[in-house]
Amino acid sequence: MFEQDVAGLIKALRANKNDEQSVLRQALEETRKEIKHKDIEIKAAAVLKLVYLEMLGHSISFASFAIVECMSSTKYHIKSIGYLAASQCFDKETEVAVLVVNLVKKDLLSPPTPLFSTSPSSLTVAHLLSTLSAVSLLLTPSLARDLAPELISMLAHSRAQVRKQTMLVMWRVVKAWPGVVELSSGREERGQDPWVERLRERLADDDVGVVSATVNLICELARKDPRTYLPLAPELFGLLTASTNNWMLIKIIKLFAVLTPEEPRLVKKLVPPLTELIETTPAMSLLYECIQTSIVGGMLNGREGEALALTCVEKLKGFLEDVDQNLRYIALVALVKILPTHPNLVSIHHDTIMTCVDDPDMSIRMRALDLVEGMVDRRSLHPTVEKLMGHLRPSATTASAAAALKAQQTSTAGTPPAPAVLSTAYRTSLVALIIRMCSSSTYAHVSNFEWYLDILVELSYLSLTLPHDPSSSETSLGIKLKNQFIDVAARVKAIRPSAVRRMATLLGDETFMENGDAADVAEVLGAAAWICGEYCQELQDPRPVIASLFGSSTTTSVPSHIISLYVHNGVKVYASWLSALHENWDESDLEQVRSVTAALEGQLAACASNSDVELQERAAELGQLLELVRKGLDAPRPIAPPENGFGSSSTEPYDDDDGQGFASTSAPTRLPPSCLTLLSPMFFSHELNPVNPKAQGLVGVPEGLSLDLVIVPRTTSIKDELELDEVEEEVDDFGRPVGRPRGGEEEIVGEGRKKKGKGKAVGGKKSKRREVDEDPEEMARLKAERLERQRDDPYYVGSKSATPAEEDVDSIPIVKLDLNFGTAPAPPPPPRVPTPPPMVIDVDGELPEGMELGAGAGGGGGAPPVVETPEGETATTAKDVQATEGVVTKVVKKKKKDANGKPKKKKGEAGGTSTPTEAA
């Protein structure tokens, strides 16, 4: 009846590649008959064929009982086939799972004979190891719970192979049933964790394989709960200093990287062995793990870690210069982590890192850019940005990145690789990186703002080819560029004339107008309009800007929110132009003003019909203002007093310089229209400047204002209001309440009776609304609910958490950088760039009038304001508030006075008076 074994089945499939399905159907029919045979050898061969067929996608659930029969065999090769089939085919829904549990328990608890035996019916250690291997694949939560006690007892088996295999199985047992670590063993009576003590015993095992398996188990478990395994640190440290197995050393070092944040005292203990390993080991994997652990564990901080940090950076330099792409990548990742604490050490390898920016591998390039952002300073900003701008310009993109990487790997030494085409996502991130580098620390690294404005303008043109992904959560490039233009113009007053000229050029550029429907470009145009409107006094001739802002193509090629900026700032430029004409008025300018005003009114009328509500409102309001200006132009104007002759302030009765006696009369000169100065006070009454982030906190509470006092007292209790709200009142077709008494009639509900009166209560007296005393507990509850609603309300300005988390200031590490390194070579200085004249940057921003930035920190002049308080309460001053908030204040000791009211003198003190500061 036996047709063929698994090897014959495989040969038959290879011989019939064109008709494999018929061979598979025939094999399934044969195995269905073979698994019913009484001979266990034939049944085992059929099960082995079914295992192969299951790998091809066929279901063998019909053979579950035959698999259990093979598992219960006493012959090793048949039992191994049964366990292999069970581990591959059985799951939680298998009906014979209960039989498997009992069978595995029986095999685990049966004492084995020597490792191997010639008797086919004897249970050897090989049987036990096969069972353990299969258990790791068969485990379910219920099976792990049932087998956990037996597996834990096998950790103390006399055979090292069994202990090793059991320790490896325990990882899957813990994953399937975490309760195994809580099983008691009697050690808990002595205050010991039984699970940790079992692991401690295996760490001291005589067999290296058992120790390696135990270290592997601890390393995996400590990732989730490192504090539990912290007591094993002494044994692990002993293995770190004594072991020569690189694999186990890597695991132990990874384990210490998890434990050091829980126990900072380990850092000082681990520095010497890690330094020795980093300096001596030739294994790249072990070297990188030592460096990674030194970084993550905080071993590079402080004066003690300077030598180790220098050693790590020198070793990583060798990684950067290696041809292996993987080593270069992991070196850049490690340097990114070292950069925040040791920027001077990383900057030594500035040139090597900059070469990685041109690498065809995009992952290496991105990590190098992370380093460049952290290394940039005032001297290196200009050359670094110019190098990155070379990647963005069109000449830098000629081939695909994948093709360039392949060309680099296959090219010879004399053939340079082709440059890479940069993806849109990479170029977008590059633009954002340039903006972050230049604007960091409020432009602390920018020495030439003319150059920076040119860079921003060029980035604006480059953004035309970088469409923004609407699904992305990051801020678009257009908004970032807009914020930079406005912020630079607001903070650096000396750059405003140059910024206005550049923005006026952008507004008149046809390239931007043609691409105005793109969101990024439109935001830049909005910034240009704002700068030209806010600082329009810097314009040489405002008329081209007015024409650009109110052009006929503006309303069709720009989004509505940008048109709102165009309209508002265009009228500001128009108002500034009118004010300038008023100062130097010429009657020939009247017709020009009328034509420009009429054109602006027409554009505003068109904008007033736009679907955007904000644009409608702005256009309607500004249109009314321009109508007043137009009417003022047509209004009669008084005649200007003559400069000389009669009627003037001159004392000469006539002027005969022309030889004609009396001065010659000419056409009367009229005063300029008064409407020319109508709009200017509305827009230029004060200058807009950046505001300091702490300005709102410096605004004091006005005297006499109590934020805790109820402004409008309640006339009814909260319970009555809730009852009234529950009653639904009927209304008629006109919305009037139905059933309410007319006039002053009231229904007064007494003790079970109704009484009606016309404006009067019982007894004939007029009814008055009685004020209900507020319950303090109820008011506190309502206030807490209101604060909670405001905290979650995104539209409520200034909402804060009711109970802010306290910052643990003591846990912040204090790093002192020692820059005097005799062994570290200094980086070559970059080429000298001519330094432009210094410009003042408004870093702090505006503060409330009369306030200084130091006032929030205990400084500021003047006496602290005193808030009036009721009798019996202590007045609270600003100094008390500062003391409550933890602000450091200056304490001056006051001298004691004698009976005459004069301050007492110390012994040996000279005569004379002294100020309180001198006395202190």
Side-chain angles (χ1 to χ4, degrees):
M1 184 176 180
F2 182 72
E3 298 292 339
Q4 60 183 357
D5 56 1
V6 65
L9 175 60
I10 296 174
K11 291 179 181 179
L13 287 173
R14 292 178 178 177
N16 298 272
K17 291 184 178 180
N18 297 329
D19 193 14
E20 289 184 353
Q21 295 300 323
S22 61
V23 177
L24 292 174
R25 284 194 298 269
Q26 183 179 359
L28 283 173
E29 292 177 0
E30 292 175 358
T31 52
R32 284 179 180 272
K33 298 176 182 178
E34 291 170 359
I35 60 174
K36 298 178 181 178
H37 202 275
K38 295 182 179 181
D39 190 353
I40 192 63
E41 296 285 346
I42 297 177
K43 187 175 295 188
V47 169
L48 191 59
K49 287 194 293 183
L50 288 175
V51 170
Y52 182 76
L53 293 175
E54 197 272 341
M55 294 171 59
L56 298 179
H58 297 274
S59 176
I60 61 172
S61 58
F62 58 87
S64 299
F65 195 78
I67 294 173
V68 175
E69 287 181 333
C70 293
M71 294 171 64
S72 60
S73 175
T74 57
K75 297 181 179 180
Y76 173 71
H77 67 285
I78 296 178
K79 181 181 288 290
S80 61
I81 291 175
Y83 273 109
L84 173 64
S87 62
Q88 185 169 332
C89 307
F90 286 3
D91 54 17
K92 297 179 180 180
E93 305 298 330
T94 304
E95 296 179 354
V96 294
V98 178
L99 300 178
V100 172
V101 174
N102 297 328
L103 184 59
V104 171
K105 279 188 176 183
K106 179 182 177 182
D107 290 343
L108 292 178
L109 296 178
S110 300
T113 56
L115 183 60
F116 294 101
S117 176
T118 56
S119 175
S121 60
S122 61
L123 185 63
T124 63
V125 174
H127 290 75
L128 186 56
L129 295 178
S130 175
T131 303
L132 289 173
S133 300
V135 164
S136 64
L137 302 176
L138 282 171
L139 279 177
T140 60
S142 58
L143 183 60
R145 184 182 65 252
D146 296 337
L147 296 179
E150 287 77 12
L151 291 174
I152 290 178
S153 64
M154 293 180 67
L155 291 175
H157 200 274
S158 60
R159 296 280 183 175
Q161 297 93 332
V162 177
R163 296 198 302 271
K164 174 184 175 182
Q165 192 69 29
T166 305
M167 186 61 68
L168 294 176
V169 173
M170 289 306 298
W171 165 235
R172 289 187 175 269
V173 173
V174 174
K175 285 183 62 179
W177 185 55
V180 67
V181 300
E182 300 176 1
L183 293 179
S184 60
S185 63
R187 293 187 177 92
E188 58 273 6
E189 296 178 359
R190 293 172 294 184
Q192 299 175 349
D193 188 350
W195 174 250
V196 174
E197 293 304 318
R198 292 189 187 101
L199 296 178
R200 193 191 304 274
E201 293 173 359
R202 294 309 102 208
L203 286 177
D205 200 283
D206 297 333
D207 188 79
V208 179
V210 177
V211 176
S212 298
T214 307
V215 170
N216 181 65
L217 176 62
I218 298 173
C219 186
E220 297 297 330
L221 295 177
R223 293 180 180 179
K224 293 184 177 180
D225 187 14
R227 184 168 290 276
T228 302
Y229 304 95
L230 196 58
L232 300 175
E235 287 77 11
L236 294 172
F237 182 79
L239 293 173
L240 177 64
T241 55
S243 177
T244 58
N245 187 349
N246 286 344
W247 183 90
M248 188 164 64
L249 286 176
I250 291 174
K251 289 291 184 180
I252 293 174
I253 290 171
K254 285 185 175 181
L255 184 54
F256 275 119
V258 180
L259 296 180
T260 46
E262 300 293 335
E263 181 52 74
R265 291 178 294 179
L266 285 173
V267 174
K268 186 179 295 185
K269 192 77 173 176
L270 291 173
V271 168
L274 286 181
T275 305
E276 183 181 358
L277 282 175
I278 292 173
E279 293 176 349
T280 59
T281 181
M284 291 293 186
S285 57
L286 179 58
L287 175 59
Y288 180 75
E289 287 301 332
C290 292
I291 296 174
Q292 176 73 7
T293 301
S294 301
I295 299 170
V296 176
M299 302 176 191
L300 306 183
N301 300 334
R303 187 177 296 274
E304 298 81 4
E306 292 294 338
L308 179 59
L310 181 60
T311 305
C312 293
V313 173
E314 290 298 329
K315 291 293 182 179
L316 291 174
K317 180 186 176 182
F319 283 26
L320 288 176
E321 296 172 349
D322 199 283
V323 294
D324 190 355
Q325 300 281 350
N326 296 324
L327 292 180
R328 298 174 71 185
Y329 178 80
I330 62 175
L332 291 171
V333 172
L335 286 175
V336 169
K337 298 177 181 178
I338 297 176
L339 182 63
T341 56
H342 297 81
N344 56 324
L345 296 180
V346 179
S347 300
I348 297 175
H349 310 293
H350 179 273
D351 296 337
T352 306
I353 295 171
M354 290 303 295
T355 58
C356 297
V357 176
D358 299 325
D359 197 284
D361 192 341
M362 196 58 62
S363 59
I364 293 178
R365 185 178 295 191
M366 294 300 296
R367 299 290 79 76
L369 290 177
D370 293 340
L371 279 174
V372 169
E373 182 181 359
M375 292 190 304
V376 71
D377 55 13
R378 196 174 184 87
R379 292 185 304 171
S380 61
L381 176 65
H382 190 280
T384 302
V385 172
E386 290 296 336
K387 184 178 181 64
L388 297 181
M389 291 296 295
H391 291 184
L392 293 172
R393 294 183 178 111
S395 60
T397 59
T398 56
S400 65
L405 182 59
K406 185 177 180 181
Q408 185 196 35
Q409 296 172 351
T410 59
S411 63
T412 60
T415 306
V421 165
L422 306 177
S423 63
T424 302
Y426 172 75
R427 298 177 69 200
T428 303
S429 63
L430 206 58
V431 174
L433 172 64
I434 293 174
I435 294 175
R436 287 199 306 271
M437 287 193 304
C438 295
S439 62
S440 63
S441 302
T442 319
Y443 314 103
H445 304 320
V446 179
S447 58
N448 189 348
F449 282 93
E450 295 277 354
W451 165 82
Y452 185 42
L453 280 179
D454 292 336
I455 291 295
L456 290 178
V457 171
E458 186 174 359
L459 292 178
S460 300
Y461 281 100
L462 290 173
S463 66
L464 297 174
T465 60
L466 301 175
H468 176 63
D469 186 9
S471 60
S472 177
S473 59
E474 296 183 358
T475 307
S476 65
L477 290 181
I479 295 178
K480 293 179 180 178
L481 290 169
K482 177 194 73 172
N483 295 337
Q484 283 297 293
F485 278 122
I486 295 176
D487 196 50
V488 169
R491 291 186 183 275
V492 187
K493 296 183 179 181
I495 205 65
R496 289 175 184 176
S498 179
V500 169
R501 288 195 302 270
R502 286 173 170 82
M503 296 301 101
T505 305
L506 280 181
L507 290 175
D509 195 343
E510 294 295 334
T511 305
F512 270 88
M513 294 306 301
E514 292 173 0
N515 298 273
D517 53 347
D520 285 357
V521 180
E523 297 295 339
V524 175
L525 292 175
W530 188 90
I531 293 175
C532 290
E534 186 64 29
Y535 310 112
C536 53
Q537 294 84 0
E538 308 293 344
L539 290 170
Q540 297 291 339
D541 187 5
R543 289 173 294 180
V545 177
I546 296 175
S548 300
L549 294 175
F550 287 96
S552 58
S553 60
T554 301
T555 56
T556 58
S557 59
V558 179
S560 57
H561 69 282
I562 303 298
I563 301 177
S564 301
L565 291 173
Y566 270 39
V567 167
H568 185 78
N569 291 281
V571 174
K572 290 172 69 174
V573 177
Y574 168 76
S576 177
W577 177 56
L578 293 184
S579 180
L581 289 178
H582 183 271
E583 296 177 0
N584 303 301
W585 177 250
D586 191 351
E587 286 295 330
S588 60
D589 297 333
L590 182 60
E591 292 301 325
Q592 184 181 9
V593 174
R594 284 177 176 170
S595 60
V596 172
T597 305
L600 296 188
E601 281 190 287
Q603 289 294 330
L604 290 175
C607 294
S609 60
N610 194 284
S611 58
D612 187 74
V613 177
E614 182 181 358
L615 179 56
Q616 287 182 19
E617 183 178 359
R618 287 182 182 267
E621 292 176 352
L622 297 174
Q624 295 295 324
L625 293 176
L626 262 65
E627 184 179 355
L628 294 176
V629 174
R630 177 174 52 80
K631 292 180 179 179
L633 293 175
D634 299 333
R637 291 174 289 153
I639 299 176
E643 298 180 358
N644 50 27
F646 294 104
S648 69
S649 60
S650 176
T651 57
E652 298 293 334
Y654 56 88
D655 188 0
D656 59 348
D657 290 343
D658 56 357
Q660 298 179 1
F662 289 97
S664 59
T665 59
S666 58
T669 303
R670 296 188 177 275
L671 292 175
S674 60
C675 62
L676 298 181
T677 59
L678 175 65
L679 302 180
S680 182
M682 299 181 182
F683 299 111
F684 306 108
S685 59
H686 62 276
E687 182 181 0
L688 290 181
N689 291 315
V691 180
N692 191 282
K694 299 180 181 179
Q696 185 66 37
L698 296 177
V699 178
V701 179
E703 184 179 356
L705 175 62
S706 175
L707 300 179
D708 297 328
L709 184 64
V710 178
I711 299 176
V712 180
R714 294 179 178 272
T715 56
T716 58
S717 64
I718 302 175
K719 182 177 179 181
D720 295 340
E721 288 185 357
L722 295 176
E723 292 178 355
L724 292 176
D725 292 339
E726 294 177 357
V727 179
E728 296 183 359
E729 193 175 32
E730 298 182 1
V731 295
D732 57 9
D733 296 338
F734 298 97
R736 296 174 299 187
V738 178
R740 177 178 292 181
R742 291 173 295 177
E745 296 180 356
E746 297 179 351
E747 290 188 11
I748 302 175
V749 181
E751 299 175 357
R753 56 192 181 127
K754 284 186 179 180
K755 295 186 179 181
K756 293 186 179 180
K758 190 172 184 180
K760 295 184 179 180
V762 180
K765 297 183 180 179
K766 295 183 178 180
S767 61
K768 296 183 179 180
R769 303 179 67 183
R770 180 175 55 90
E771 295 185 1
V772 181
D773 295 336
E774 299 292 348
D775 186 7
E777 297 181 358
E778 186 70 15
M779 293 299 297
R781 184 184 64 80
L782 292 176
K783 182 178 180 180
E785 293 178 357
R786 175 173 58 82
L787 293 177
E788 186 68 21
R789 289 194 304 269
Q790 292 174 358
R791 184 178 65 85
D792 298 331
D793 189 359
Y795 300 101
Y796 185 81
V797 179
S799 58
K800 296 182 180 179
S801 176
T803 56
E806 296 183 359
E807 298 183 357
D808 189 7
V809 182
D810 296 334
S811 64
I812 301 176
I814 301 176
V815 180
K816 183 179 180 181
L817 301 180
D818 188 7
L819 303 181
N820 298 323
F821 294 99
T823 58
R832 184 70 176 176
V833 180
T835 304
M839 294 185 179
V840 179
I841 306 174
D842 188 3
V843 178
D844 295 333
E846 283 190 347
L847 293 169
E849 185 177 356
M851 291 287 184
E852 297 181 0
L853 189 59
V866 180
V867 181
E868 294 183 1
T869 55
E871 295 181 359
E873 297 182 6
T874 305
T876 304
T877 64
K879 289 186 177 180
D880 297 331
V881 176
Q882 293 172 2
T884 305
E885 297 175 351
V887 181
V888 179
T889 57
K890 186 174 182 180
V891 180
V892 180
K893 185 177 180 181
K894 190 176 181 181
K895 286 188 173 183
K896 297 182 178 179
K897 297 183 179 180
D898 55 10
N900 299 327
K902 297 183 179 180
K904 293 183 179 180
K905 296 181 180 180
K906 295 182 180 179
K907 294 183 179 179
E909 184 179 0
T913 59
S914 62
T915 60
T917 305
E918 294 172 349

